[in-house]
Amino acid sequence: GYYRGEAWYKKTMTIHHIYENQQVFLVFEAANQVASLFINGKPVGEDHIGGYTTFTRDITSALKKGVNEIAVRVDNSHNDEIVPHSADFSFYGGIYRDIQLVITKPVHFEVANLGANAIFVRTPEVSEASAKITVQSKLVRPKKGTYYTKQSLFNADNELIKTVKSRTFFQKEAHNSFSIDKPNLWSPDSPYLYKLVSEIVDRKGNVYDRVENSIGLRWFSFDAKKGFFINGKPTKLIGTNRHQDFLGKANAVSDEIHRNDIKLLKDMGSNFLRIAHYPQDPAILEMCDKLGLVATLEIPFVNKA
């Protein structure tokens, strides 16, 4: 009972000057379900397949000085090769999440990493006494030159508590690791977040790129008989399921509404969220981290594969 087929979006963008030392990207948070990008009438990159994940296109070489036409074709027609095939929700089409224009220097954290965050933070060892943090960074840099990744950890009061730096190498990922003593632990009752600032710097300390990520330090486990434990404390998970829709807006929901939904869930006593049946807007996990909801995230294999 709703349209499934092609839709076109067109926009003009005036560029007064194109700099040789910049790269320009379009980051799509999602478009359902096959998206094709055209700039000045020419295709840019391959079609993106799948309606619930972020993707990025490098548009640097396609741009020209002056007026540029950006066109996006999105097709949500049924396709046996693309999941979901059937479900208890509608597969609305179109560009329904934000698009970001990102401009970088030649040395930068990878933007074209399938649209994902190029900073991978892991906490392999966490206890009340200490926490180990490892950071894996994907970056783009020339073969010549000396560059470092610098990781700075700030507490919730924005006080610097740790800084580490390591040299990077051409076409290799960068790795940093460090530990802190007596960490403030994240839990649904106390969702304490640290801030990790990742930078690419040269020998003189000049900053080429900077990315911020929130980090919660915790450990958890499941027991078939005793249930869920976080930081060694038994915790009853109480929550609900959530879809990305709103009255009169279908899937085209603003970040403000996404965030307010999570606030409402927290206010009604939830400490758990099943994000179903597909990856949702980045604002959802952001709010789960901030407000204290344990979350599970699904891929869109629903009913049948």
Side-chain angles (χ1 to χ4, degrees):
Y2 61 96
Y3 175 75
R4 298 194 67 178
E6 285 190 3
W8 282 85
Y9 298 79
K10 289 187 178 182
K11 183 180 183 68
T12 57
M13 181 173 64
T14 301
I15 297 179
H16 298 289
H17 191 79
I18 298 176
Y19 295 95
E20 293 182 0
N21 63 341
Q22 290 183 334
Q23 283 185 271
V24 185
F25 301 88
L26 284 179
V27 180
F28 294 76
E29 289 187 355
N32 200 31
Q33 62 183 350
V34 179
S36 311
L37 173 64
F38 302 85
I39 295 184
N40 299 320
K42 296 181 180 180
V44 177
E46 298 179 351
D47 292 350
H48 179 263
I49 298 174
Y52 306 98
T53 51
T54 303
F55 60 98
T56 300
R57 294 291 177 265
D58 185 339
I59 64 172
T60 310
S61 61
L63 297 175
K64 64 181 182 180
K65 185 178 179 179
V67 177
N68 291 264
E69 182 188 72
I70 301 173
V72 182
R73 181 182 65 218
V74 188
D75 190 348
N76 68 328
S77 301
H78 177 80
N79 188 326
D80 284 332
E81 299 298 319
I82 304 174
V83 294
H85 297 136
S86 70
D88 58 348
F89 57 94
S90 299
F91 312 139
Y92 297 116
I95 301 172
Y96 67 94
R97 295 184 194 164
D98 296 332
I99 302 175
Q100 301 168 16
L101 178 69
V102 177
I103 302 174
T104 72
K105 297 179 179 179
V107 180
H108 60 269
F109 290 113
E110 190 176 81
V111 180
N113 178 37
L114 301 178
N117 191 329
I119 312 297
F120 297 83
V121 183
R122 298 177 177 89
T123 54
E125 299 173 18
V126 179
S127 69
E128 292 182 354
S130 65
K132 182 179 180 180
I133 299 169
T134 66
V135 187
Q136 173 189 350
S137 308
K138 291 188 174 183
L139 66 154
V140 177
R141 50 152 293 178
K143 190 172 184 179
K144 295 182 178 180
T146 303
Y147 303 94
Y148 304 84
T149 51
K150 179 182 176 183
Q151 310 294 346
S152 303
L153 188 70
F154 295 81
N155 64 18
D157 295 322
N158 206 35
E159 298 170 337
L160 178 64
I161 60 173
K162 197 82 171 186
T163 298
V164 296
K165 187 171 71 172
S166 64
R167 186 173 178 176
T168 69
F169 298 92
F170 180 62
Q171 293 184 337
K172 290 186 178 181
E173 296 177 353
H175 295 269
N176 304 85
S177 64
F178 57 92
S179 297
I180 62 171
D181 296 327
K182 297 181 180 179
N184 289 293
L185 300 176
W186 185 99
S187 71
D189 294 332
S190 179
Y192 190 97
L193 292 175
Y194 291 87
K195 179 177 71 175
L196 180 72
V197 177
S198 303
E199 296 174 311
I200 302 175
V201 299
D202 61 16
R203 285 177 172 172
K204 296 181 179 180
N206 297 312
V207 178
Y208 289 80
D209 201 1
R210 186 178 191 272
V211 175
E212 292 186 7
N213 284 292
S214 297
I215 301 176
L217 299 174
R218 80 290 180 266
W219 77 93
F220 65 92
S221 62
F222 284 95
D223 183 274
K225 295 181 179 180
K226 297 180 180 180
F228 177 71
F229 290 75
I230 188 162
N231 303 329
K233 178 184 177 181
T235 303
K236 184 177 182 179
L237 296 177
I238 302 171
T240 185
N241 176 80
R242 195 258 184 189
H243 278 287
Q244 58 174 18
D245 51 27
F246 197 83
L247 180 64
K249 296 180 179 295
N251 284 359
V253 181
S254 67
D255 286 353
E256 180 183 8
I257 292 176
H258 284 306
R259 293 181 176 121
N260 190 59
D261 274 1
I262 305 304
K263 185 178 184 299
L264 291 172
L265 292 174
K266 185 66 177 183
D267 288 346
M268 79 178 195
S270 294
N271 63 5
F272 172 79
L273 177 63
R274 178 194 180 197
I275 301 175
H277 294 285
Y278 37 78
Q280 294 186 17
D281 194 285
I284 297 298
L285 288 175
E286 170 200 325
M287 290 302 289
C288 288
D289 290 345
K290 287 182 176 180
L291 297 183
L293 278 84
V294 177
T296 61
L297 188 61
E298 300 180 358
I299 58 175
F301 280 96
V302 187
N303 292 350
K304 60 180 182 179

